[in-house]
């Protein structure tokens, strides 16, 4: 799935730098590992340059009441500085501020958070606030940002967010998740019905989503691959299975489908054999 992984890396780098994907087109010669190293270096450059100055703000904030800090964050710091300070505060202090600022401000801060320092804060964030921010992210189609924090959230938070996300958002966010272990855990949380709906996105005539479906499938282990392949091949919409096989051919992933064939139910195995003949 090297071409799909490269596409994801180009999109993630462009999102980090706040530029169109075309602006990083000159990096086509780099492989996935090199692009990830470059993104890591850019992350360090963007977030680590002025930590000394920000630490002084954090030190003062720790002496102030949460209500005053919330007012300062919203009216004086703004989302950019607010996001930098949030990742440096003790998690409970950051949560108390988040409770007191408007939802739109929390969304803007989340978009700008340093993913390396966000986990302790996000794990203690109230569930209702996490879900509210997720809903706004879905409206804005901020799939890369949503995927960035999958590792940081608890299973309880993930379940609540999944319930708040539509099927396309689930698929698109999964396309950008980096940790194979966490991706496996998240896909495992899907019911058979939800998995059917997510893989069914591949056949939407208005969207080119076959690639994300294959990327999601390639990112999990054999058991979940079997579940996803069966969900597509036995989908009530026959076009879903057809799109799955066509997209696999396009990205040289037909061997992955065939490797799971002995594990499929008889109807799914027959369907796969007919489509790959």
């Amino acid at each position: 799935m090297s071409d799909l992984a490269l596409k994801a890396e180009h999109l993630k780098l462009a999102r980090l730098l706040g530029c169109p994907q075309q602006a990083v087109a000159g990096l086509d010669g780099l492989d996935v590992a090199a692009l990830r190293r470059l993104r890591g270096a850019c992350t360090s450059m963007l977030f680590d340059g002025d930590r000394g100055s920000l630490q002084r703000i954090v030190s003062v904030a720790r002496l102030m009441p949460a209500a005053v800090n919330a007012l300062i964050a919203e009216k004086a710091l703004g989302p950019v500085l607010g996001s930098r300070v949030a990742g440096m505060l003790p998690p409970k202090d950051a949560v108390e501020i988040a409770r007191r600022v408007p939802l739109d401000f929390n969304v803007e801060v989340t978009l700008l958070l340093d993913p390396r320092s966000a986990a302790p804060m996000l794990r203690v964030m109230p569930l209702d606030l996490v879900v509210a921010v997720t809903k706004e992210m879905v409206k804005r189609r901020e799939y890369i940002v949503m995927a960035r924090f999958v590792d940081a959230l608890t299973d309880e938070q993930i379940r609540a967010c999944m319930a708040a996300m539509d099927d396309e958002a689930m698929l698109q966010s999964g396309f950008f998740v980096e940790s194979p272990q966490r991706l496996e855990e998240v896909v495992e949380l899907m019911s058979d019905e939800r998995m059917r709906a997510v893989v069914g996105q591949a056949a939407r005539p208005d969207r080119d989503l076959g690639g994300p479906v294959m990327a999601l499938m390639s990112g999990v282990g054999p058991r979940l691959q079997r579940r996803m392949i069966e969900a597509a091949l036995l989908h009530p919409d026959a076009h879903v299975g057809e799109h799955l096989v066509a997209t696999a051919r396009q990205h040289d992933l037909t061997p992955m489908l065939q490797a799971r064939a002995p594990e499929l139910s008889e109807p799914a195995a027959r369907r796969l054999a007919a489509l790959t003949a």
Side-chain angles (χ1 to χ4, degrees):
M1 56 169 291
S2 58
D3 59 335
L4 295 172
L6 282 170
K7 179 181 178 181
E9 285 302 322
H10 280 106
L11 289 170
K12 284 187 279 192
L13 180 60
R15 180 64 184 82
L16 175 66
L17 298 177
C19 65
Q21 185 185 358
Q22 294 88 331
V24 297
L27 302 173
D28 283 347
L30 298 182
D31 61 17
V32 170
L35 285 167
R36 287 183 176 171
R37 288 194 296 271
L38 175 60
R39 180 158 50 86
C42 290
T43 299
S44 298
M45 180 184 68
L46 290 171
F47 290 107
D48 294 342
D50 52 1
R51 288 186 68 86
S53 300
L54 292 172
Q55 190 60 57
R56 290 193 287 273
I57 299 176
V58 171
S59 298
V60 172
R62 295 182 69 172
L63 303 175
M64 306 281 280
V68 174
N69 281 331
L71 189 63
I72 292 172
E74 182 186 0
K75 304 299 183 182
L77 296 181
V80 176
L81 284 177
S83 67
R84 302 293 305 282
V85 170
M88 299 171 65
L89 283 169
K92 290 184 178 179
D93 292 350
V95 168
E96 287 304 314
I97 295 172
R99 288 179 184 271
R100 289 171 166 81
V101 297
L103 176 60
D104 283 349
F105 188 81
N106 275 318
V107 173
E108 294 299 328
V109 166
T110 303
L111 290 172
L112 298 166
L113 274 177
D114 181 354
R116 302 169 304 171
S117 60
M121 173 184 63
L122 292 178
R123 286 180 178 273
V124 295
M125 196 66 67
L127 197 59
D128 60 337
L129 184 53
V130 173
V131 171
V133 170
T134 297
K135 288 179 177 178
E136 291 301 313
M137 292 282 189
V138 171
K139 289 179 184 177
R140 300 184 186 201
R141 298 180 180 272
E142 289 286 358
Y143 305 128
I144 293 175
V145 176
M146 293 165 67
R148 187 185 299 163
F149 297 116
V150 165
D151 279 349
L153 298 177
T154 66
D155 283 355
E156 181 186 18
Q157 290 170 326
I158 289 287
R159 286 190 184 93
C161 291
M162 288 170 65
M165 295 164 64
D166 60 37
D167 298 322
E168 181 181 353
M170 282 285 299
L171 174 61
Q172 296 275 34
S173 300
F175 179 50
F176 294 109
V177 173
E178 290 190 22
S179 166
Q181 178 180 346
R182 194 55 175 151
L183 180 63
E184 183 96 4
E185 293 167 351
V186 171
V187 175
E188 184 72 64
L189 294 175
M190 290 188 197
S191 65
D192 289 343
E193 181 181 4
R194 190 67 192 273
M195 186 173 286
R196 236 182 343 262
V198 170
V199 300
Q201 295 293 303
R204 282 181 56 179
D206 59 326
R207 308 283 288 164
D208 183 17
L209 297 176
V213 169
M214 291 307 304
L216 188 64
M217 191 177 295
S218 300
V220 297
R223 187 173 59 82
L224 288 177
Q225 283 181 358
R226 180 192 59 77
R227 280 187 63 199
M228 294 183 70
I229 293 169
E230 288 224 355
L233 293 172
L234 302 180
H235 198 282
D237 181 354
H239 291 96
V240 174
E242 294 169 3
H243 278 274
L244 175 78
V245 173
T247 306
R249 285 198 182 104
Q250 179 184 347
H251 297 287
D252 297 322
L253 290 171
T254 304
M256 181 188 71
L257 301 184
Q258 293 172 330
R260 302 280 73 79
E263 305 154 15
L264 298 176
S265 65
E266 187 178 345
R270 283 201 308 267
R271 174 88 166 131
L272 178 61
L275 290 172
T276 55

